[in-house]
Structure formats: structure tokens, C-alpha cells
């Protein structure tokens, strides 16, 4: 992907986080990316194309910081973290006071909110959500290998939806980051104990 | 409260759900409410006052439909529903395909999203959230009277945040209403079982 194209997508995530999808204007996007409006029209077919690719960019960036931090989070002794610790780390990465985490979560929330009245992103949003639930279900399966597949998926769907709910409360100043992280950590324990009872 | 004032608040909830807080314009609000712009300026001090009162209106309306449906949900035999059934009913009321439920949840999400960059509604949002968590904690306390207070509050905070997360997925077409309701019902069971273990 060209540097200019990436710069436009980065800028689109920033502007959407700041103004919402409805507030995204090509003038502000061009200024934020430091490119001409013409270059935006050159790289993206239309508004829908730009929004779809921004959604993909936001998702890829979340996966990238998840993978990087998971690698960085390996204990210094060289002993690999257990599956429960890895699951906790992966989910808690979304509750960190870092500019790119705040921006990614805010932009995702705005892109999702746009789908309430406008169906054009629904397919991509649903797919991204299914992939995320699948990943968390797989990680839960490593924690409790004998739990039924359907129970793992249901737990993963609850944990990821809870994470989105807690993240929205934290980002809007309703809940402190520490409380959001505590509730999330507890929820993982509660769901793992639930899987134990099903065994 | 005057009928005109209520009509303006109803219209504000509708327009905020449709356009977001940033997209709320006094022209569209006046047209939606069927009043003059001057009447809006007469009833509300400024934009912040209008937003604060719309947030209160949205919260009161949610409490009203919760109370009405809870009353309507009493079994025909006259036997009162048990505390677990009442808790389920109260939480599942937010996951119903009714215009006022969709509009209320969407408007609440937009008001909350506006607090990410603009702190003016944070106090009201946090207070509304604390009150809701308190109510759900009290209902959980009726289900499990010997559970510690702090555990009831933590469970209530998780259940209400999960409900917001599931509701956002349903409203944006990521999750079916049936799946959202199933996940919510399961989560209540999972949290009650968790409280049992703490007893």
C-alpha cells in the first residue's frame, strides 16, 4: 500500500474519531493527511469505498498493536505466558490510555454508529465482529480445551460485547480506566468459571 | 412540564438519534417538533441546557417504559414474578424491536459519544450510569440476598455495560435481536452463578 494512501486512511480514522462519520469532509481529511483533495479522489472510488477501507485499516491496526504488545508481554524469564494470561492481555490491550487505542476505539464506535441508519458498512462490521469473536473463542478454548464449541463462542461474544461497552464508558469519562480494566478482568474469570461448570 | 417543551425534547431525541449530537441543528429540531426556533430559544438557555435536558428526558423515558412493561409483565394468575424473572425482564426491555426503544438507545449512544471530545455532559452521563447500576445491583441483591454489596455492584456494572455493548451491535445490524437477547439472558445466569460461589 502506498505511503500516501496509508496517510489518508490514518487521517480518515483521526477525523472520524473527532467528527463522526457524518462529519467527515474531504477538505478536513485532505488537510489532516497533508494531501490534495484530488489525491483522495484518485485513491478512493467514492465515500463508501473510503469508509470501507478505513474500517479495514482500523481493524488491522488493532490487530497489529494486539500482536506487538502480546509479543512484548512475554515474561523476561523466557517462559511463555499461559493461555489465560494471553487472553487477558489481548482483551486488556483495548483498555489502555494510549492515543492510538483511544482513536481506534472511538473511530470503530463511530463507524458502527453510522450503520444504525445507513446499512452500507453492515457487512464489513459483522464480518470483523465474527472474526474477533472467533479469535477470542479460540483463546478461551486454549484456557478450557474440553468446553463445548458453542459455549466458547457465546462466552467470547459476551466478553467482546462487554469490552465494547466498558470501552465506550471509559472513553466518554463515565468509568475510570482502572475500573474498566478491573471489570474486564473479573468478567474473564466469571466466564472461565462458567465454562468449568459446563465441562 | 409544558406540552411544547416535551414536544421539543421528544424531537431532540429523534434528531440526535438520526444525526448525532454534532448534527443537531435548531432548524431541523424546530421542524421536527412543529414549533418555531424562537420557542426553542425561549424554553432552553443554550445548547448545553438543551442537551442536558434531552439526556434527562431519554433517561426518564427509559425508566417509564421499564416500569410500564414490568407492570404489564405480571403473570395473569396474579402471582408476582420472582426476583430473577423481574431482573431479566427489566434488562431485556432494552433489547426490543420497538421504535421508542431503538430511538432511546441510539440517542443515548450519541449523547455518550459526544462526551468523548466534549466534557459538558460527562457529569450527567456518569450520574445516570451510577443510578442504573445501583438499580440493577438492588435487583441482583433480591435474587441473591447474601451476596456482598461490592460483588453485586461489580456484577451490575458488567451486566449494564454488556447490555450497552449488545444493544449497539443489534442496532447497527451486527447481531440479531434474538442472539442479543440470548447472550443477555445467559449473562444474567452466569453472573448469578458467580454470586452463588461468593456466598
Amino acid at each position: 500500500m502506498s505511503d500516501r494512501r496509508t496517510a489518508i486512511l490514518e487521517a480518515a480514522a483521526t477525523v472520524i474519531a473527532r467528527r463522526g462519520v457524518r462529519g467527515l469532509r474531504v477538505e478536513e481529511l485532505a488537510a489532516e493527511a497533508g494531501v490534495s483533495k484530488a489525491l483522495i479522489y484518485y485513491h478512493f472510488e467514492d465515500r463508501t469505498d473510503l469508509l470501507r477501507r478505513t474500517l479495514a485499516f482500523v481493524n488491522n491496526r488493532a490487530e497489529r498493536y494486539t500482536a506487538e504488545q502480546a509479543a512484548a508481554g512475554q515474561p523476561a524469564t523466557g517462559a511463555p505466558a499461559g493461555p489465560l494470561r494471553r487472553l487477558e492481555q489481548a482483551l486488556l490491550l483495548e483498555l489502555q490510555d494510549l492515543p492510538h487505542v483511544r482513536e481506534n476505539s472511538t473511530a470503530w464506535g463511530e463507524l458502527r454508529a453510522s450503520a444504525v441508519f445507513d446499512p452500507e458498512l453492515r457487512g464489513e462490521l459483522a464480518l470483523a465482529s465474527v472474526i474477533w469473536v472467533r479469535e477470542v473463542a479460540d483463546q478461551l478454548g486454549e484456557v478450557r480445551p474440553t468446553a463445548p464449541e458453542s459455549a466458547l463462542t457465546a462466552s467470547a461474544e459476551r466478553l467482546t460485547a462487554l469490552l465494547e461497552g466498558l470501552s465506550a464508558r471509559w472513553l466518554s469519562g463515565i468509568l475510570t480506566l482502572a475500573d474498566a480494566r478491573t471489570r474486564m478482568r473479573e468478567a474473564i474469570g466469571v466466564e472461565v468459571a462458567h465454562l468449568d461448570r459446563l465441562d
Side-chain angles (χ1 to χ4, degrees), chain A:
Chain A
M1 200 153 63
S2 83
D3 287 353
R4 287 287 189 72
R5 203 157 179 283
T6 307
I8 296 168
L9 292 173
E10 262 173 15
T14 304
V15 176
I16 287 171
R18 188 193 300 148
R19 307 252 181 248
V21 170
R22 288 165 290 214
L24 177 68
R25 301 275 172 272
V26 73
E27 290 75 16
E28 186 175 359
L29 176 57
E32 182 74 35
V35 303
S36 66
K37 282 165 52 176
L39 198 79
I40 294 172
Y41 295 123
Y42 170 78
H43 277 295
F44 303 93
E45 231 171 86
D46 54 21
R47 188 177 170 84
T48 302
D49 184 43
L50 172 65
L51 291 177
R52 289 207 170 118
R53 288 175 200 281
T54 305
L55 179 60
F57 173 81
V58 165
N59 278 321
N60 291 339
R61 191 164 59 173
E63 278 166 34
R64 210 166 57 239
Y65 67 67
T66 303
E68 277 167 17
Q69 297 255 345
Q74 294 291 337
T77 59
L84 181 59
R85 184 92 190 88
R86 281 204 303 275
L87 172 62
E88 277 184 1
Q89 281 177 341
L91 291 172
L92 289 174
L93 288 179
E94 303 287 336
L95 295 172
Q96 291 184 99
D97 197 5
L98 296 174
H100 63 282
V101 173
R102 280 183 173 271
E103 187 180 286
N104 242 45
S105 296
T106 306
W108 169 264
E110 293 290 349
L111 287 159
R112 191 187 53 204
S114 81
V116 173
F117 288 96
D118 183 348
E120 68 185 0
L121 294 179
R122 279 189 198 159
E124 280 84 357
L125 286 162
L127 183 61
S129 182
V130 163
I131 291 171
W132 189 28
V133 168
R134 188 69 265 136
E135 285 168 0
V136 173
D138 288 346
Q139 288 187 297
L140 274 169
E142 287 175 37
V143 178
R144 289 298 177 264
T146 60
E149 194 57 38
S150 62
L152 292 170
T153 304
S155 281
E157 207 156 64
R158 286 192 294 272
L159 285 173
T160 54
L162 173 64
L163 181 50
E164 287 177 353
L166 290 171
S167 173
R169 287 192 187 176
W170 160 55
L171 290 168
S172 56
I174 294 174
L175 204 61
T176 67
L177 181 60
D179 282 350
R181 290 177 65 92
T182 301
R183 292 295 160 266
M184 194 63 221
R185 219 179 271 114
E186 290 167 352
I188 296 167
V190 169
E191 288 290 348
V192 168
H194 164 67
L195 293 174
D196 282 337
R197 281 196 311 278
L198 296 177
D199 265 3

